[in-house]
Amino acid sequence: MSAHAAELAVHEHKDYTGAKIGMWMFLFTEVLLFGGLFLLYAVYRAEYPQGFHQGGLHLDVFLGAINTIILLTSSLTMALSIAAIQRGQKGLAIFFLSFTILCGATFMVNKYFEWSKKIHHKIYPGSEALAKYVDNMVEEGKVPPQQKSGVLLFFSLYYLMTGLHGLHVLVGMIAMAFILRKLLKQPFVHHRWNPFQKQELQGCRLVLEDPNGQTIWKSETFDETVKHVDVEFQYYPAPKHVHPDDYVALENTGLYWHLVDLIWIFLFPLFYLIS
Amino acid sequence: MSQATAQNIPLSFYEEKSAYPGIFAWIFSTDHKRIGLLYMFTILSFFLFGMSMGFLIRLEKMFPGGQFFQPATYNALFTIHGVVMIFLFVIPGIPAVFGNFILPIQLGAEDVAFPRLNLLSWWLLVIGALVIFLSLFTGSKLPDTGWTFYAPYNTITTANIPMAVFGAFLVGFSSILTGLNFITTVHRLRAKGMTFFRMPLFAWSIYATAWIQILATPVVGITLLLVIAERFLGVGVFNPSKSGDPLMYQHLFWIYSHPAVYIMVLPAMGIVSDIIPTFCKKPIFGYKAIAFSSMSIAFIGYLVWGHHMFTSGMADLARVVFSFLTFFVAVPTAIKIFNWTATLYKGSIELRAPMLFALSFIFLFSIGGLTGVMLGTLNLDLHLHDTSFVVAHFHYTIFGGFGFALFGGIHYWFPKMFGKMYNETRAKWAWLLLFIGFNMTYFPLFLAGLEGMPRRYYDYLPKFAPYHFWSTIGSWIMISGILFMFGNLLHGLLRGEKADDNPWGGSTLEWQVPSPPPLVNFTTPPVVNKDPYDFSDILKKRNSSPTPQDQEDKGGQ
Ligand SMILES: [Cu+2]
């Protein structure tokens, strides 16, 4: 850039920190969304400890543990994918991101088998067979009569909380798929600036140079009729050079994915390990 | 590759060319000013609809016994009135309108942090509203649960509650996105030199409100989703016949809905904190105290929800604690009220229309707030719970507080938003009608409530007849005041004189840009080097000009 033009401060339109702040706010809202359900869980479990115990006996600890391991692994690969893209290693980033999506899918498949097995045994909220089954438990003396509601509430909350969590896994997978597509297509980087002030423009011209100082393009000299300049250009970044703006979407998806993982870390013991 | 425009006077955001034709230039615009006006038009339409419902409720109650409607229709009327007013008018309210239009300019920013998300918020509100209106006609009867949608009736009634509740969920999501946007805007887009303690108090109030929006709304969101799940998925977390506990619904509902009253009223306090110094030409008294009190109201407001449930069944200790915490929330509110009145002291007060609204806010909100403390008192509440005393209380806080501040804000920023002036004399008359009508409508309900008039009742004992009669007459005066006010504003919009950039002599940044502002707000990014309510420059300019009273006649035609 020419000496004069170089003094013009160039301000990026995209705000990396802003995007991060926004994402953290959103995660707070997610925590509170689940918070309502955790609150219900806490109150009902305190009220019906034996009912919850009986309910917990019906969950498959093995499948739950497998799913926990899968999600923990996926959090690791997500972090690795971000670390890779921050270093400009796109291929590696794509590999780890695909692996993360695969983990999410495996989790969902497990969940599907788990749920369908239960539904096959008529264990679902509002099921008459379940109500009868719980009545039998009372007769057999497994559950005291006043704890009967606890079993039903356990299954209601089990389906609601793991269901909402599964929905979040799905949303996370969709978000990752979008970013994967973006990475695979190697999109050109698109920048748009309008950083210049009226006074600063007078007598200046805009010059584009390559790293060796060769002029690629230059504009007319701006006279007093020019009030506003928009600079818009597209380029293909060198594979080793990735701008923070390009990975903020991946980082934010990573944050979301870690939260989904974290919620599961709480769901697993609260449902599978209480008996 | 580059484009250049060649004007010396910037075009206003109305004149700037849009990529879309006609109405699409508005409903697809990501400009915060256009979105602010979209919100204003939208929520004021909902207000007029809700007001008609209120008018019908009062009409029905003018005399004892049935007058015009069946009892079931009456139940639907107060439900729809509440749902529309709360979810579609008051909750989006001031943040959506002025948080959008004014906040970025007050901060010296070009727009909010996420303009496209901002547009999505408006769309979510509109879609949520459509869903709510659709729910009215898709059940076997009109919704009749009251705006609180209490369990277990919400799953038993044959009205289309799941749909109404889903609409409210969408509106809540819109509110969350708005809050998220404003917090990021305040943190990232303040102008050079605009430190946190140089922000106008309106910006502070929007900031505090935004935190409540994102931290409280998700709780009601999940609660409303659970209502839908109860109806369709057979789960029974609230319905006692399916082993749930209806009290849990009340807890979850009020964990959001008490903080929600501060979503309504904090921005209103922000507007008042901006109007009062402008019309006193004096820095606001206790700036930091007001700013911090907004934040502490937002915080303490979380811990008091139990006061809605004193008669529902709760441990005695919990009730005492909730009662005590409720008293505590009155402290920061009182701090604000004392600071506003201290600002008035020895100020050169100009009683323009916005100032009248701001002053009546202080008066009415004090009544609403103090009766709130009465209701928060455990033993008094056992007597007053679910009486018309409660109805009067929350109309004094929400309408007397939020409503008067919103109307004050509309008058205050009208010249900035539209570049036109309304007729000042008529605005004052409209205010007077509204103020008298308001007190006549709601004050008798305090008295009736003290004597035991239950709320939401279709019929009542003859001894309550005089209160209801005068209340209904008052509602007519109030509504004529509102219609007169809107008529005057509309007239100003169409025929009003051109407004100056700074008609009131305001000191905050929005008064330094043209009226109406250009698309990018500031042609040169502002640099802030003084406190928000520093009027020394404005007073200097005013004193040096030969006719300081010029402005006085401008609005009066
Ligand atoms: Cu409350």
Side-chain angles (χ1 to χ4, degrees):
Chain A
M1 286 203 170
S2 72
H4 194 155
E7 285 168 20
L8 301 177
V10 173
H11 167 252
E12 270 284 351
H13 210 70
K14 255 178 149 181
D15 180 5
Y16 173 79
T17 315
K20 273 298 189 54
I21 293 178
M23 191 62 200
W24 276 101
M25 301 284 143
F26 180 69
L27 295 186
F28 289 166
T29 70
E30 289 283 12
V31 167
L32 282 150
L33 190 81
F34 278 94
L37 288 168
F38 278 110
L39 196 66
L40 281 179
Y41 179 95
V43 170
Y44 287 143
R45 176 151 173 230
E47 209 172 335
Y48 306 108
Q50 284 136 307
F52 270 58
H53 169 78
Q54 281 300 326
L57 288 176
H58 290 80
L59 297 192
D60 191 334
V61 182
F62 179 72
L63 264 185
I66 293 281
N67 261 353
T68 310
I69 292 165
I70 289 171
L71 273 196
L72 279 175
T73 314
S74 76
S75 256
L76 174 69
T77 52
M78 188 70 194
L80 288 173
S81 170
I82 292 167
I85 203 152
Q86 282 169 344
R87 292 191 186 83
Q89 298 162 316
K90 224 183 77 176
L92 208 57
I94 289 174
F95 169 75
F96 280 125
L97 190 61
S98 321
F99 191 83
T100 314
I101 297 178
L102 200 70
C103 285
T106 322
F107 177 90
M108 291 306 281
V109 169
N110 271 347
K111 204 83 236 160
Y112 170 78
F113 283 123
E114 209 185 338
W115 273 38
S116 45
K117 201 174 126 199
K118 264 184 206 65
I119 291 169
H120 180 75
H121 286 108
K122 301 246 170 4
I123 299 178
Y124 54 86
S127 139
E128 303 224 331
L130 177 64
K132 228 173 263 163
Y133 179 59
V134 175
D135 284 339
N136 283 342
M137 281 188 193
V138 174
E139 271 167 36
E140 290 165 21
K142 282 185 191 160
V143 193
Q146 70 275 15
Q147 291 276 318
K148 206 177 91 178
S149 298
V151 188
L152 298 169
L153 283 169
F154 176 87
F155 284 113
S156 281
L157 285 173
Y158 165 76
Y159 277 101
L160 284 170
M161 293 176 84
T162 58
L164 190 66
H165 176 261
L167 221 60
H168 279 76
V169 172
L170 218 59
V171 171
M173 284 166 61
I174 293 169
M176 284 188 277
F178 267 105
I179 292 172
L180 186 64
R181 201 182 72 134
K182 207 179 136 191
L183 286 177
L184 285 172
K185 275 177 77 181
Q186 167 85 26
F188 48 75
V189 177
H190 185 128
H191 281 300
R192 188 158 177 263
W193 296 327
N194 47 356
F196 305 115
Q197 304 316 320
K198 188 159 86 177
Q199 299 89 319
E200 296 170 335
L201 292 174
Q202 306 249 338
C204 290
R205 59 169 69 210
L206 213 58
V207 183
L208 197 64
E209 288 173 2
D210 70 8
N212 306 323
Q214 290 300 99
T215 300
I216 299 170
W217 169 86
K218 65 181 177 205
S219 75
E220 302 286 299
T221 308
F222 301 133
D223 58 17
E224 66 280 357
T225 60
V226 177
K227 183 205 120 200
H228 195 79
V229 176
D230 270 342
V231 184
E232 213 176 326
F233 59 93
Q234 302 172 339
Y235 60 91
Y236 294 89
K240 294 265 172 208
H241 179 262
V242 187
H243 197 269
D245 288 346
D246 304 321
Y247 60 74
V248 70
L250 182 63
E251 281 190 354
N252 277 345
T253 313
L255 284 175
Y256 179 85
W257 192 251
H258 294 321
L259 180 80
V260 170
D261 187 16
L262 192 68
I263 290 169
W264 179 257
I265 298 294
F266 281 90
L267 291 181
F268 175 59
L270 286 179
F271 284 104
Y272 293 80
L273 302 181
I274 53 170
S275 302
Chain B
M1 272 200 131
S2 69
Q3 65 181 54
T5 34
Q7 271 94 19
N8 283 324
I9 310 153
L11 289 171
S12 81
F13 73 99
Y14 292 108
E15 298 160 308
E16 201 80 50
K17 240 179 79 193
S18 159
Y20 305 99
I23 181 123
F24 298 106
W26 286 84
I27 62 176
F28 291 143
S29 170
T30 54
D31 176 32
H32 70 103
K33 297 178 287 297
R34 288 196 177 218
I35 294 176
L37 292 177
L38 275 181
Y39 267 119
M40 187 157 98
F41 175 76
T42 319
I43 71 166
L44 287 180
S45 320
F46 295 144
F47 168 70
L48 289 176
F49 178 80
M51 185 185 80
S52 331
M53 298 293 118
F55 169 74
L56 295 177
I57 294 171
R58 280 300 350 143
L59 208 58
E60 172 58 47
K61 284 190 141 177
M62 193 168 183
F63 301 107
Q67 306 299 325
F68 304 96
F69 305 109
Q70 294 302 311
T73 319
Y74 173 80
N75 288 348
L77 276 179
F78 73 68
T79 302
I80 299 167
H81 171 76
V83 170
V84 169
M85 284 300 200
I86 296 286
F87 290 110
L88 301 183
F89 173 54
V90 182
I91 289 286
I94 291 168
V97 178
F98 297 123
N100 263 310
F101 198 106
I102 298 297
L103 176 79
I105 312 183
Q106 277 196 337
L107 298 176
E110 202 174 283
D111 207 315
V112 293
F114 309 114
R116 278 187 301 175
L117 205 62
N118 201 16
L119 180 64
L120 177 68
S121 307
W122 179 77
W123 274 101
L124 280 174
L125 173 72
V126 171
I127 295 168
L130 283 179
V131 171
I132 289 177
F133 282 113
L134 259 175
S135 78
L136 301 183
F137 309 107
T138 44
S140 65
K141 60 176 174 176
L142 291 164
D144 55 353
T145 55
W147 77 276
T148 48
F149 302 117
Y150 262 17
Y153 187 60
N154 57 18
T155 39
I156 298 165
T157 175
T158 53
N160 197 350
I161 296 301
M163 198 168 178
V165 154
F166 183 66
F169 175 83
L170 290 176
V171 172
F173 200 41
S174 147
S175 177
I176 287 174
L177 293 182
T178 304
L180 186 156
N181 218 334
F182 288 166
I183 292 177
T184 316
T185 306
V186 168
H187 276 284
R188 296 296 301 164
L189 299 182
R190 279 172 288 128
K192 208 170 175 194
M194 168 87 61
T195 57
F196 256 84
F197 289 110
R198 278 188 187 152
M199 288 200 307
L201 287 167
F202 176 70
W204 264 105
S205 74
I206 293 289
Y207 180 68
T209 308
W211 276 107
I212 311 179
Q213 283 176 309
I214 65 160
L215 294 183
T217 318
V219 181
V220 84
I222 190 68
T223 314
L224 298 177
L225 289 181
L226 285 173
V227 169
I228 300 173
E230 291 233 313
R231 184 74 159 264
F232 294 122
L233 304 180
V235 297
V237 282
F238 300 136
N239 188 344
S241 69
K242 287 181 182 165
S243 68
D245 183 352
L247 270 188
M248 288 312 294
Y249 176 86
Q250 294 188 22
H251 276 293
L252 287 176
F253 182 82
W254 289 113
I255 286 176
Y256 163 74
S257 295
H258 185 82
V261 308
Y262 301 117
I263 296 180
M264 308 168 194
V265 94
L266 274 181
M269 293 167 157
I271 290 183
V272 172
S273 308
D274 266 18
I275 290 180
I276 286 183
T278 302
F279 292 96
C280 294
K281 292 290 171 294
K282 210 177 140 225
I284 193 140
F285 187 84
Y287 169 88
K288 279 195 179 172
I290 296 184
F292 282 129
S293 66
S294 288
M295 295 308 284
S296 53
I297 287 176
F299 176 70
I300 305 170
Y302 270 96
L303 310 172
V304 302
W305 78 87
H307 63 216
H308 295 269
M309 301 169 60
F310 284 158
T311 61
S312 307
M314 222 197 302
D316 281 341
L317 178 65
R319 295 200 294 177
V320 171
V321 169
F322 276 126
S323 180
F324 176 74
L325 288 171
T326 304
F327 295 159
F328 210 61
V329 88
V331 174
T333 312
I335 288 175
K336 282 183 198 277
I337 302 227
F338 290 133
N339 280 314
W340 291 326
T341 37
T343 309
L344 295 172
Y345 180 67
K346 285 193 174 169
S348 57
I349 298 172
E350 299 164 84
L351 276 184
R352 308 294 291 262
M355 187 62 166
L356 288 174
F357 278 103
L359 292 177
S360 44
F361 169 95
I362 298 181
F363 177 73
L364 300 174
F365 192 76
S366 297
I367 296 178
L370 290 171
T371 51
V373 175
M374 287 170 74
L375 288 167
T377 314
L378 184 49
N379 46 358
L380 256 177
D381 185 66
L382 297 183
H383 174 64
L384 293 173
H385 184 81
D386 261 357
T387 64
S388 68
F389 191 91
V390 179
V391 177
H393 153 70
F394 68 69
H395 279 91
Y396 264 85
T397 49
I398 297 178
F399 193 174
F402 165 83
F404 272 71
L406 175 77
F407 297 152
I410 292 177
H411 283 87
Y412 182 56
W413 282 307
F414 188 89
K416 184 55 61 190
M417 292 190 291
F418 302 108
K420 299 274 184 69
M421 289 303 287
Y422 50 83
N423 182 308
E424 176 79 18
T425 320
R426 278 186 233 144
K428 285 178 178 165
W429 278 108
W431 167 81
L432 189 68
L433 274 177
L434 178 56
F435 184 73
I436 293 173
F438 176 89
N439 284 294
M440 226 171 119
T441 311
Y442 298 113
F443 202 79
L445 297 183
F446 277 130
L447 306 174
L450 279 173
E451 287 184 35
M453 171 72 211
R455 73 189 273 203
R456 292 177 171 174
Y457 269 35
Y458 174 68
D459 196 2
Y460 50 82
L461 295 174
K463 70 167 175 175
F464 297 118
Y467 300 128
H468 284 292
F469 177 78
W470 287 108
S471 173
T472 304
I473 301 286
S475 75
W476 298 346
I477 300 176
M478 181 169 72
I479 289 173
S480 40
I482 292 169
L483 295 178
F484 188 42
M485 177 183 75
F486 282 136
N488 182 39
L489 290 174
L490 210 62
H491 184 266
L493 181 62
L494 300 173
R495 301 261 167 80
E497 284 179 48
K498 211 183 142 8
D500 292 342
D501 291 350
N502 190 359
W504 317 123
S507 60
T508 39
L509 276 182
E510 78 269 28
W511 301 111
Q512 292 176 19
V513 299
S515 305
L519 185 65
V520 290
N521 298 339
F522 299 89
T523 35
T524 50
V527 178
V528 181
N529 47 23
K530 61 189 183 72
D531 290 336
Y533 304 108
D534 181 349
F535 290 94
S536 47
D537 292 348
I538 289 147
L539 287 175
K540 225 180 279 162
K541 210 184 282 170
R542 221 174 232 205
N543 291 338
S544 62
S545 79
T547 50
Q549 290 301 309
D550 274 5
Q551 309 240 335
E552 202 70 40
D553 311 313
K554 193 141 200 180
Q557 205 147 81

